[in-house]
């Protein structure tokens, strides 16, 4: 009986430990490692969110912001739209130092070719997807690009959009498709966090 209880206790301790490790791993934020880019992404998040919002609500608010404020263009350079100060940079440095101490941060250069979009809020569908991905990473989601074909009502085009992992499942977002005129005012939420299957795959087919 004692041995059985000991085994049961050890099993429970192991399960709790594994769950704790899993939660800690999933809670890690992912930054770019570029101070100005990370500072700008944090500024966008702070500007569009409020205390008490869930992570998903924060992501949704930032998605709407990108839909309504990013400019689609092949010329990414331009006027600085997301202005940061040395005070903002210092605060970002302090936050990164704290996250490192807690082992709550990772770094990824996945979106490096679109870093400029964080300053100008300009870019193609690829740049728009990168912005969504960087914001999602900052909020603790694993996120990245998707490349494929978009089947619109009147045309079929090569396209970029973004994916993220939420509660172990894959969802996809399309800032570019949401920013067309008829959806822009409402935020185009029909293109936010859609399950990567079924109806969504009729219009968004990865290569």
């Amino acid at each position: 009986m004692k041995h059985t209880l000991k085994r049961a206790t050890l099993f429970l301790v192991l399960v709790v430990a594994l769950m704790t490790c899993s939660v800690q791993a999933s809670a890690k934020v992912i930054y770019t490692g570029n101070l100005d880019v990370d500072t700008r992404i944090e500024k966008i998040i702070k500007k569009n969110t409020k205390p008490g919002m869930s992570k998903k609500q924060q992501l949704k608010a930032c998605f709407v912001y990108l839909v309504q404020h990013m400019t689609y263009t092949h010329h990414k350079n331009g006027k600085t739209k997301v202005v940061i100060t040395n005070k903002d940079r210092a605060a970002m440095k302090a936050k990164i130092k704290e996250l490192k101490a807690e082992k709550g941060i990772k770094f990824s250069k996945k979106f490096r070719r679109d870093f400029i979009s964080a300053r100008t809020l300009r870019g193609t569908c690829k740049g728009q997807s990168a912005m969504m991905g960087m914001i999602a990473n900052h909020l603790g989601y694993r996120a990245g690009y998707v490349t494929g074909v978009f089947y619109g009502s009147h045309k079929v085009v090569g396209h970029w959009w973004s994916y993220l992992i939420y509660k172990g499942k894959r969802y996809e977002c399309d800032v570019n498709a949401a920013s067309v005129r008829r959806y822009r005012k409402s935020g185009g939420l029909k293109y936010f966090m859609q399950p990567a299957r079924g109806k969504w795959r009729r219009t968004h087919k990865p290569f």
Side-chain angles (χ1 to χ4, degrees):
M1 184 69 176
K2 283 183 179 179
H3 290 303
T4 305
L5 284 170
K6 279 184 179 179
R7 285 197 204 99
T9 303
L10 284 169
F11 177 74
L12 285 171
V13 169
L14 182 61
V15 169
V16 171
L18 287 171
M19 287 176 68
T20 303
C21 289
S22 176
V23 169
Q24 287 175 344
S26 64
K28 281 189 178 181
V29 298
I30 306 170
Y31 285 6
T32 68
N34 180 301
L35 183 62
D36 278 12
V37 172
D38 288 323
T39 303
R40 287 189 165 97
I41 295 298
E42 281 295 299
K43 191 156 191 176
I44 290 170
I45 293 170
K46 189 174 180 181
K47 178 179 179 178
N48 292 283
T49 60
K50 297 176 183 177
M53 277 185 164
S54 69
K55 194 164 68 168
K56 186 176 179 181
Q57 287 172 329
Q58 291 178 60
L59 187 67
K60 181 179 175 181
C62 291
F63 174 83
V64 172
Y65 174 80
L66 294 179
V67 169
Q68 296 178 342
H69 291 86
M70 278 202 79
T71 300
Y72 178 87
T73 176
H74 287 270
H75 304 288
K76 293 184 284 188
N77 209 348
K79 183 180 177 181
T80 298
K81 295 285 185 69
V82 184
V83 179
I84 55 174
T85 64
N86 287 333
K87 186 177 178 181
D88 295 327
R89 292 184 182 93
M92 188 76 256
K93 278 184 180 179
K95 183 173 182 179
I96 290 171
K97 186 177 179 180
E98 185 180 329
L99 286 166
K100 280 181 176 178
E102 296 170 354
K103 296 184 178 178
I105 188 169
K106 294 180 180 179
F107 294 95
S108 171
K109 297 287 187 184
K110 184 184 295 183
F111 302 108
R112 64 188 178 280
R113 295 187 184 279
D114 293 291
F115 280 178
I116 194 170
S117 294
R119 176 175 68 81
T120 63
L121 294 181
R122 294 164 63 89
T124 62
C125 53
K126 181 172 177 281
Q128 291 169 317
S129 301
M131 286 297 293
M132 188 64 193
M134 287 188 284
I135 288 169
N137 279 174
H138 268 241
L139 289 172
Y141 293 94
R142 284 194 294 119
Y145 296 113
V146 187
T147 58
V149 177
F150 175 72
Y151 291 81
S153 53
H154 301 293
K155 60 182 179 180
V156 178
V157 293
H159 192 44
W160 296 70
W161 60 98
S162 50
Y163 78 86
L164 60 92
I165 306 301
Y166 176 65
K167 293 185 177 180
K169 294 182 179 180
R170 180 179 170 123
Y171 294 84
E172 295 179 0
C173 306
D174 191 341
V175 173
N176 177 261
S179 65
V180 298
R181 189 174 299 171
R182 65 181 179 276
Y183 299 127
R184 195 177 183 94
K185 192 173 181 180
S186 65
L189 293 176
K190 67 178 285 186
Y191 293 104
F192 173 72
M193 275 189 76
Q194 295 299 317
R197 60 181 185 277
K199 188 178 178 181
W200 180 257
R201 281 287 174 259
R202 294 177 199 166
T203 55
H204 292 75
K205 295 193 177 181
F207 289 135

